[in-house]
Amino acid sequence: MAVFTTITDDDARQLLADYDIGSLVSLRGITAGIENTNYFLNTTRGEYVLTIFEVLTHQQLPFYIELMHHLAQRGIPVPSPQTRLDGARIGTLHGKPSAIVSRLPGGYEPEPGIDHCRLIGATLARAHMASADFELSQPNLRGLAWWTHTVPSVLLFLTPDQSAMLQDELAHQQQLDASPAWQSLPLGPAHCDLFRDNVLFAGTNEDPHMGGIIDFYFAGCDRWLFDVAVAVNDWCIHRNNGQLKPELVQAWLQAYASVRPFTAAEREAWPHMLRAAALRFWISRLYDFYLPRPAQTLKPHDPRHFERVLQLRRSEVVPALP
């Protein structure tokens, strides 16, 4: 959500002519994140988010946009893509794909507690169940194939010990992915990036209410357990060192399982999936940190965080799935 592409008020007015969502009131860039350009777009009819896609193509975008539309139509709290006058939900701005979605209420919680974990755990399970009949399919573009392709390009920035751990973990995940047990894990459309700053809460810290899940632009068809592992590795940790908080892990997983019970194969895979989720984000943060794309306001994340998380998940005993 860094500002890679500058959008003017006149650009926004021209774009809004293709929609029936009111006239421009205000436009403000969002500086957080590293993948797309995002603006808060307020009109005379409501509050929206305008996204200009810097990497994803017109051919790739229908999966993400239509998945959000599919979930919104089934009552899952996600941004609802707005439909243009021509019936499409994807436009073009400055030669790049664009979309306008509804702005959800609330803000993200930097220090989630048990109630926050219960809310998002149950909501993600509902989203997985609701996505089961989604007709479009696209792989997780930051999945194992991308890890395998990307690791060689970041190795030269690492110490010998870091390089050894990275390559060892990648080999471990490649071996697991080829196994019959891994292939049996339930899968379907998944968010794949469910960090705490991609979920909004309304209400108060003591009495939170679900605002919704945002930023689906890393979504893809993957094992649903991977989605859970990505979230637990961020929601249920001590942020300074990456250690799991057992009470938060238990609340998160029990809430999820109350909607979609885990399978026996998922229980066996769980410790390894937490490692996979840590590996994915260590690789991507190494790549974004050392090989960044230019942006007006780019804030790459420190890759050392997920290096620590992966070290922990490789050595510790993790709370079991319910």
Side-chain angles (χ1 to χ4, degrees):
M1 295 186 291
V3 178
F4 295 90
T5 301
T6 300
I7 304 302
T8 67
D9 286 359
D10 285 342
D11 291 332
R13 291 188 185 96
Q14 183 176 355
L15 184 66
L16 284 170
D18 296 326
Y19 293 83
D20 182 24
I21 58 174
S23 303
L24 179 67
V25 173
S26 65
L27 182 71
R28 178 166 61 88
I30 306 172
T31 59
I34 58 174
E35 187 69 18
N36 300 314
T37 293
N38 283 263
Y39 283 81
F40 288 129
L41 174 67
N42 292 342
T43 77
T44 52
R45 298 262 294 276
E47 297 183 345
Y48 303 93
V49 175
L50 164 64
T51 299
I52 298 90
F53 300 95
E54 305 290 347
V55 176
L56 295 171
T57 66
H58 278 90
Q59 291 72 31
Q60 293 167 331
L61 272 171
F63 176 84
Y64 308 98
I65 299 299
E66 295 307 319
L67 176 59
M68 285 191 287
H69 178 73
H70 178 93
L71 294 174
Q73 292 294 304
R74 283 155 178 76
I76 307 300
V78 302
S80 179
Q82 301 302 292
T83 304
R84 293 157 42 95
L85 296 177
D86 63 3
R89 283 182 275 273
I90 302 170
T92 302
L93 192 56
H94 289 299
K96 300 175 181 179
S98 66
I100 297 175
V101 303
S102 59
R103 183 177 176 181
L104 300 177
Y108 97 93
E109 175 51 57
E111 295 296 338
I114 286 176
D115 289 339
H116 301 96
C117 290
R118 285 172 176 158
L119 281 170
I120 186 54
T123 301
L124 181 63
R126 288 176 53 217
H128 286 165
M129 299 296 285
S131 71
D133 63 344
F134 184 58
E135 294 183 353
L136 299 182
S137 178
Q138 181 170 284
N140 174 5
L141 299 182
R142 290 291 180 98
L144 181 63
W146 186 85
W147 309 348
T148 303
H149 173 78
T150 304
V151 162
S153 67
V154 301
L155 289 178
L156 71 160
F157 301 106
L158 305 182
T159 67
D161 286 346
Q162 290 172 318
S163 178
M165 182 172 73
L166 182 59
Q167 293 181 86
D168 180 74
E169 187 60 38
L170 177 60
H172 178 69
Q173 295 298 332
Q174 290 170 330
Q175 183 179 19
L176 286 171
D177 188 76
S179 69
W182 211 257
Q183 295 297 321
S184 74
L185 298 174
L187 57 82
H191 187 280
C192 299
D193 192 33
L194 197 65
F195 281 55
R196 62 187 78 186
D197 58 357
N198 282 333
V199 176
L200 305 179
F201 292 98
T204 65
N205 189 61
E206 294 75 21
D207 184 26
H209 305 282
M210 181 56 60
I213 300 172
I214 62 173
D215 198 355
F216 275 77
Y217 303 117
F218 282 108
C221 292
D222 207 331
R223 280 109 187 160
W224 282 336
L225 191 64
F226 177 76
D227 226 5
V228 176
V230 168
V232 167
N233 269 345
D234 182 64
W235 286 78
C236 306
I237 63 169
H238 296 277
R239 297 190 76 172
N240 62 327
N241 59 19
Q243 289 183 334
L244 291 168
K245 295 182 178 180
E247 69 280 8
L248 294 188
V249 177
Q250 182 180 39
W252 215 107
L253 297 177
Q254 287 182 343
Y256 182 97
S258 71
V259 178
R260 187 189 76 83
F262 294 109
T263 67
E266 287 178 312
R267 294 189 189 94
E268 289 292 324
W270 176 236
H272 305 282
M273 195 64 84
L274 284 168
R275 290 167 57 174
L279 176 67
R280 178 266 191 256
F281 285 96
W282 188 26
I283 295 171
S284 62
R285 289 189 177 187
L286 285 168
Y287 184 80
D288 292 335
F289 189 85
Y290 290 111
L291 301 167
R293 292 177 290 117
Q296 289 187 3
T297 52
L298 182 61
K299 298 178 180 179
H301 296 288
D302 185 351
R304 291 175 296 179
H305 171 72
F306 273 103
E307 179 186 353
R308 291 190 295 269
V309 172
L310 179 56
Q311 287 174 325
L312 285 167
R313 301 300 176 268
R314 284 164 60 94
S315 63
E316 66 188 349
V317 177
V318 302
L321 293 184

